[in-house]
Amino acid sequence: ELVRANCGFIVQLAGARDSLVPIEVQRRVAQSLRLGDEGAYVYVEHADEDHFFSGRGEEIAERIVASLELAA
C-alpha cells in the first residue's frame, strides 16, 4: 500500500533466471503492486534474464519514459 501511494506508476522487470530474487517472489510482488489503473503498472518478465538485466538498459529506459508520458 505504501509503495503504491508513493508513486504515480510502477515498472517492474523480472528475470526468470534471477538467483537473488526467485521468480515466484517477483510474481507475488507484481500481484500485490497492481494499481488497477491502465498504464500505471507495467510488469515485464524475461525468461532469459538474471537479476541485473545486462544489456537491457535501453529497453528499461524506454519503458520508464513511456510510463512518465502516460502519467503526465
Side-chain angles (χ1 to χ4, degrees):
E1 293 289 324
L2 292 175
V3 172
R4 284 185 277 167
N6 191 41
C7 61
F9 68 91
I10 297 170
V11 177
Q12 180 184 353
L13 301 170
R17 294 177 43 197
D18 191 328
S19 61
L20 297 176
V21 182
I23 194 63
E24 295 80 16
V25 172
Q26 296 179 72
R27 290 174 182 154
R28 197 170 34 225
V29 169
Q31 192 64 28
S32 69
L33 289 176
R34 295 196 193 285
L35 297 173
D37 183 14
E38 191 64 32
Y41 178 82
V42 177
Y43 174 78
V44 181
E45 185 174 309
H46 289 284
D48 61 337
E49 288 295 338
D50 60 11
H51 188 77
F52 300 102
F53 285 86
S54 304
R56 290 210 186 257
E58 186 173 326
E59 176 188 355
I60 293 168
E62 288 172 359
R63 290 187 181 273
I64 292 171
V65 168
S67 293
L68 284 169
E69 289 171 347
L70 285 173

